[in-house]
Amino acid sequence: MPISLAAAVDHFPIAVTFTISRGSKTTASVVTCTISDGTASGQGECVPYARYGESVESVLGEIEAVRPLIEAGMTRPELQQAMKPGAARNAVDCALWDLEAKRANKSAATLAGIADPVALTTAFTISLSEPEEMMAQAAKYAHRALLKVKVGTADDTSRIRAVRKGAPASHIILDANEGWTPENLAFHFAACAEAGIALIEQPLPAGRDEALAHVARSVPVCADESVHATADLKALVGRYDAVNIKLDKTGGLTEALRMRDEARALGLKVMVGCMVGSSLAMAPAMLVAQGADFVDLDGALLLAEDRSPGLRYEASLVFPPEPSLWG
């Protein structure tokens, strides 16, 4: 049957303004790719990210450029060569996975060689704000097993102490989003060690993170903006202890699975993260996250309204997707 590809833009209001070191947003604008053979159809969602030079318009353009190839029967392995890593390839790749699963009447997990995926403990994100507000937010969500806290100012020590005071029993990941400097690393690392922080994400700007190889990392450090795909991994050894795999960076599930395996082979811990998007974006990442050291797939929880059906979230757990959503 003839294949058709369509891409559309969807907007999801965010429940509470989402703030990181680079700025704030109130709406998640995503691109949804649908690939159909007339009987079955598959979907994938991506979140264009300005930090990586992407926009809704540029992603739509990349998908449109590959549409004739997909409609002519291009396979997922061929797609990896035809498109560069990034949001656009993610949407197309995940739509192909979903279509393959529905055509085969098998789950995407089965096709990926993953037996019986399980529910996972996901982080819940607290935005960057003043220490008192961050402590109040930490206290509000202190029942959660894992919190991810946005930092990234010249002096975050008061914020680090505040969130630990607000959530004394939770495991905490700090995400500086490239906001620290070599000069303030030492006192920030000391504050993190004192507070029992589990992981620090991307303290220094990508491409200017050499200092991490020469400082005592008293808390494990995770690369995010510094790593996109498998080819980036070897350069991280000695600077980072973990990598954050996001499908919008890798360009889809296909590359993410390969990257996860290579990261483990290099002795790096694996975190699976997300942009702020709907359950459709989180669903394929659930396969990569099986067995991960840290999981941060709360994007849909930050929305005022998710897709229906969406992922099932219960307490600190996120459950594998039902086929009606994806895969």
Side-chain angles (χ1 to χ4, degrees), residues 8-97:
V9 181
D10 294 306
H11 302 285
F12 295 92
I14 297 172
V16 178
T17 301
F18 184 75
T19 302
I20 66 172
S21 61
R22 285 190 291 270
S24 301
K25 62 189 297 185
T26 57
T27 301
S29 296
V30 310
V31 174
T32 305
C33 177
T34 303
I35 303 175
S36 176
D37 66 3
T39 301
S41 63
Q43 287 195 312
E45 176 186 307
C46 71
V47 183
Y49 204 49
R51 168 65 181 82
Y52 302 137
E54 297 171 338
S55 66
V56 166
E57 292 76 20
S58 72
V59 165
L60 286 172
E62 288 182 61
I63 294 174
E64 176 59 27
V66 82
R67 180 175 61 81
L69 301 175
I70 296 294
E71 292 182 346
M74 173 178 277
T75 64
R76 270 193 306 105
E78 292 168 341
L79 178 71
Q80 311 311 305
Q81 305 304 316
M83 298 183 78
K84 68 181 188 296
R89 192 176 78 185
N90 178 30
V92 179
D93 182 78
C94 289
L96 285 173
W97 273 96

Side-chain angles (χ1 to χ4, degrees), residues 248-317:
D248 276 315
K249 295 189 301 177
T250 67
L253 177 60
T254 304
E255 173 67 9
L257 291 168
R258 192 167 78 95
M259 184 175 171
R260 177 198 63 188
D261 294 344
E262 179 64 15
R264 287 172 174 165
L266 291 169
L268 295 165
K269 291 185 179 296
V270 170
M271 176 179 181
V272 177
C274 64
M275 307 301 186
V276 182
S278 83
S279 282
L280 181 59
M282 309 300 119
M286 280 294 294
L287 303 190
V288 191
Q290 297 297 309
D293 300 284
F294 300 93
V295 178
D296 176 26
L297 295 177
D298 67 338
L301 288 176
L302 304 177
L303 303 179
E305 185 176 350
D306 191 12
R307 293 183 191 266
S308 181
L311 285 176
R312 175 186 166 201
Y313 289 92
E314 189 174 298
S316 295
L317 296 176

Side-chain angles (χ1 to χ4, degrees), residues 188-204:
H188 278 134
F189 280 12
C192 289
E194 177 188 333
I197 300 302
L199 190 72
I200 303 167
E201 268 192 85
Q202 198 67 42
L204 299 179

Side-chain angles (χ1 to χ4, degrees), residues 2 33 140 181 191 240 254:
C33 177
K140 179 179 179 180
T181 67
Y240 293 93
T254 304

